[in-house]
């Protein structure tokens, strides 16, 4: 059977195997280009931070006001026996502060030395954000740029990536904590 219509099963299987492994390698490289983030709303805009900072997302409980503390601390609440501060980071980011309604959530985050709750207007869940559409922050973007790493351009709009390490280490948050 030496004609052109014959085929070599081994070469076909070899080619199929090679295509399979190339496809797997492509999937792995795509997976490395995404960042798993918790996406939420602050000041009417969508923000995100890496999931390894997030401990949990809860409904906003009754907050107990504490006199003579930073204005960012809106109150404290009991999180399974641990007294936790609920902070509003919108002033640090220069954002408007609409009332936090029924969709409001507290994003419990853990820093190096403490846990705290960040008040958000809404939480949208965990998303894998692709670095293909990521633009790092440029210098001269204003004072709030110190807390922002950049933004993702997605079909449904921009998502701003916060620099949680810098944010949680800010003296305004750390003062009185530990």
């Amino acid at each position: 059977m030496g004609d052109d219509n014959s085929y070599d099963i081994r070469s076909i299987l070899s080619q199929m195997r090679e295509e399979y492994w190339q496809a797997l390698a492509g999937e792995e490289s795509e997976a490395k280009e995404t960042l798993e983030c918790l996406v939420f709303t602050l000041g009417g805009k969508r923000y995100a931070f890496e999931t390894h900072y997030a401990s949990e997302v809860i409904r906003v409980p009754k907050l107990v006001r504490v006199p003579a503390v930073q204005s960012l601390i809106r109150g404290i609440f009991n999180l399974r026996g641990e007294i936790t501060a609920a902070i509003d980071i919108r002033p640090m980011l220069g954002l408007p502060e609409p009332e936090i309604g029924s969709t409001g959530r507290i994003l419990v985050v853990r820093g190096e030395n403490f846990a705290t709750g960040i008040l958000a207007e809404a939480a949208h869940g965990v998303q894998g954000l692709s670095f293909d559409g990521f633009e790092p922050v440029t210098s001269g973007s204003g004072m709030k740029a110190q807390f922002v790493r950049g933004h993702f351009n997605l079909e449904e709009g921009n998502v701003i990536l916060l620099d949680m390490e810098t944010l949680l280490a800010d003296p305004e948050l750390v003062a009185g904590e530990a």
Side-chain angles (χ1 to χ4, degrees):
M1 284 203 171
D3 62 22
D4 289 340
N5 292 335
S6 70
Y7 61 92
D8 178 12
I9 190 71
R10 287 190 179 148
S11 68
I12 291 173
L13 287 174
S14 176
Q15 183 179 356
M16 288 174 66
R17 184 180 304 115
E18 191 175 315
E19 288 173 0
Y20 172 79
W21 287 111
Q22 284 177 346
L24 280 181
E27 286 177 16
E28 284 179 13
S29 68
E30 286 176 24
K32 292 177 186 170
E33 295 173 2
T34 62
L35 186 65
E36 194 171 90
C37 294
L38 176 60
V39 179
F40 54 97
T41 300
L42 284 179
K45 295 180 182 177
R46 290 185 333 142
Y47 282 82
F49 59 81
E50 296 97 322
T51 54
H52 66 89
Y53 289 104
S55 175
E56 61 188 296
V57 176
I58 61 171
R59 291 184 186 273
V60 179
K62 179 170 175 34
L63 299 176
V64 177
R65 298 228 179 260
V66 181
V69 295
Q70 303 94 302
S71 61
L72 294 176
I73 298 175
R74 299 292 189 220
I76 57 173
F77 62 99
N78 184 340
L79 182 65
R80 286 181 297 292
E82 190 176 315
I83 301 301
T84 306
I87 59 171
D88 189 350
I89 63 171
R90 295 177 294 184
M92 294 173 73
L93 298 171
L95 295 172
E97 299 175 43
E99 190 65 34
I100 293 182
S102 62
T103 61
R105 295 291 182 265
I106 290 186
L107 316 172
V108 180
V109 296
R110 297 210 177 272
E112 293 242 349
N113 303 315
F114 64 95
T116 193
I118 296 176
L119 286 164
E121 293 146 37
H124 306 291
V126 174
Q127 286 183 347
L129 301 176
S130 172
F131 277 116
D132 291 343
F134 182 73
E135 292 182 26
V137 72
T138 56
S139 59
S141 299
M143 177 61 180
K144 69 177 184 163
Q146 73 189 61
F147 302 120
V148 175
R149 290 178 49 196
H151 67 274
F152 293 93
N153 295 314
L154 305 177
E155 287 179 19
E156 59 272 14
N158 282 348
V159 175
I160 301 164
L161 180 63
L162 291 177
D163 184 342
M164 287 304 285
E165 193 170 325
T166 303
L167 189 76
L168 292 174
D170 189 85
E172 280 192 78
L173 295 184
V174 178
E177 297 284 347

